Amino acid sequence: MTTRDTEMTTWLRGLPKAELHLHIEGTLEPELMFALAERNGVTLPYDSVAAVRAAYDFDDLPSFLDLYYQGMGVLHTREDFFDLAMAYFARAQEDGVAHVELSFDPQAHLVRGVPLEVPFEGLLAACREAESRYDISSALIMSFLRDRDPAEALEVFEQAAPWHASIDAVGLDSAERDHPPGRFAEVFERARALGIPGVAHAGEEGPAAYIREAWEALEVCRIDHGVRCLEDPELVARLRDARVPLTVCPLSNVKLKVTPTLTEHPLPALREAGLNVTLNSDDPAYFGGGMLDNHVACHEAFGWTRDDFIAMTHNAVQAAFMDEGRREALLERLRGVASDV
Ligand SMILES: [Zn+2]
């Protein structure tokens, strides 16, 4: 019997999970990368799918980002973005994911000459299709690249006015070191004025001070990653008291060497500190697994029980951008899931 066939894996697959930290460009599997490259006449610097996978041996976040931006170079049309998202939704459905929040990086496409309407319309069409085909609800997070000019982020946000009503949140991602979040206060304030909340990556490779800064200067309602908050006990207490959700990505953190191994990951410490932890896959095509793999790996590394996973799924559903009817339906499904006996 393989690991994936165990009773716990079956149970984890049936758990109606919500994924809050997912970069849709990071779901691009090598097979689709090749198919889209052929469709669009893009030459890839790899001979085979195996050669692409072999390149997924990263030293840190910047070494991953180099390959990540290269990979998304095959995405050119609405159909490409639709196909990318539908391939992900199909895998999410197999993993038992009930709700997905897709982040995407419009600036990374604009610099390649791909206009805003291409990712927006392709992804929104896929979200509608996923709802009817798989009963997976979704939200869209327009992310800004923190290693580019904040003025550009503001400009792109204003250009995206036709889709503001379709954006559930704005986000902040890309290379964290030496790129403090406070520089982006203006665009987050502008989004907030339009009723669009903010989330931000902080405390993945960057210091705990960036978490504090994202929370205070950008007024974000969730922190993506946030694992380095443990270096600042006073911040931990404040995050705990305010129940700020942390979208933690266990396999991503191992792959990018934020932690040497999963058993050494601070996840148990974050939970023992009373923090509002959720589990997510980040960039599943590059980091060795989707939602189910992340859950199974945590069960094996930490010995977490059904009740532990129910508690974290509850956190995610409560923190999700979804209408209250959908939230109540998912909470009802969670109440019906068999817990520890
Ligand atoms: Zn991320």
Side-chain angles (χ1 to χ4, degrees), residues 100-158:
V100 181
E101 310 210 331
L102 298 84
S103 289
F104 74 114
D105 294 311
Q107 289 159 284
H109 308 303
L110 282 170
V111 296
R112 302 186 291 109
V114 177
L116 279 177
E117 61 261 30
V118 167
F120 266 112
E121 296 302 328
L123 296 176
L124 288 167
C127 290
R128 289 190 294 271
E129 179 67 19
E131 181 131 36
S132 61
R133 196 187 296 185
Y134 300 127
D135 188 29
I136 294 177
S137 53
S138 54
L140 198 60
I141 301 176
M142 179 184 182
S143 282
F144 305 114
L145 300 178
R146 69 197 307 155
D147 45 0
R148 294 182 68 88
D149 186 352
E152 180 187 276
L154 186 60
E155 193 183 315
V156 171
F157 179 71
E158 299 299 355

Side-chain angles (χ1 to χ4, degrees), residues 21 23 173 201 224-225 249 282-283:
H21 183 162
H23 304 269
D173 60 14
H201 284 51
D224 292 317
H225 294 295
C249 307
D282 205 3
D283 298 283

Side-chain angles (χ1 to χ4, degrees), residues 11-199:
W11 183 86
L12 284 168
R13 183 178 282 115
L15 184 68
K17 296 170 287 296
E19 174 148 55
L20 309 184
H21 183 162
L22 184 276
H23 304 269
I24 197 64
E25 297 94 337
T27 69
L28 179 61
E29 295 287 347
E31 291 81 2
L32 184 59
M33 189 190 291
F34 270 88
L36 294 180
E38 190 174 349
R39 184 152 96 189
N40 293 319
V42 174
T43 306
L44 290 171
Y46 307 101
D47 294 337
S48 64
V49 165
V52 180
R53 289 204 195 282
Y56 291 1
D57 183 19
F58 312 111
D59 296 322
D60 52 17
L61 180 57
S63 67
F64 155 67
L65 289 170
D66 288 345
L67 205 140
Y68 179 64
Y69 291 125
Q70 186 182 74
M72 68 174 76
V74 301
L75 299 164
H76 283 272
T77 65
R78 290 181 191 193
E79 187 187 12
D80 297 339
F81 281 88
F82 178 85
D83 290 348
L84 172 71
M86 287 314 297
Y88 171 72
F89 279 125
R91 290 191 294 276
Q93 198 254 354
E94 286 171 16
D95 275 5
V97 176
H99 177 81
V100 181
E101 310 210 331
L102 298 84
S103 289
F104 74 114
D105 294 311
Q107 289 159 284
H109 308 303
L110 282 170
V111 296
R112 302 186 291 109
V114 177
L116 279 177
E117 61 261 30
V118 167
F120 266 112
E121 296 302 328
L123 296 176
L124 288 167
C127 290
R128 289 190 294 271
E129 179 67 19
E131 181 131 36
S132 61
R133 196 187 296 185
Y134 300 127
D135 188 29
I136 294 177
S137 53
S138 54
L140 198 60
I141 301 176
M142 179 184 182
S143 282
F144 305 114
L145 300 178
R146 69 197 307 155
D147 45 0
R148 294 182 68 88
D149 186 352
E152 180 187 276
L154 186 60
E155 193 183 315
V156 171
F157 179 71
E158 299 299 355
Q159 281 173 17
W163 299 279
H164 281 173
S166 306
I167 301 170
D168 295 280
V170 290
L172 189 67
D173 60 14
S174 198
E176 187 182 7
R177 272 197 214 116
D178 303 321
H179 298 291
R183 298 166 62 236
F184 291 83
E186 193 177 353
V187 66
F188 275 70
E189 186 182 347
R190 171 76 180 127
R192 220 166 34 252
L194 296 172
I196 302 171
V199 300

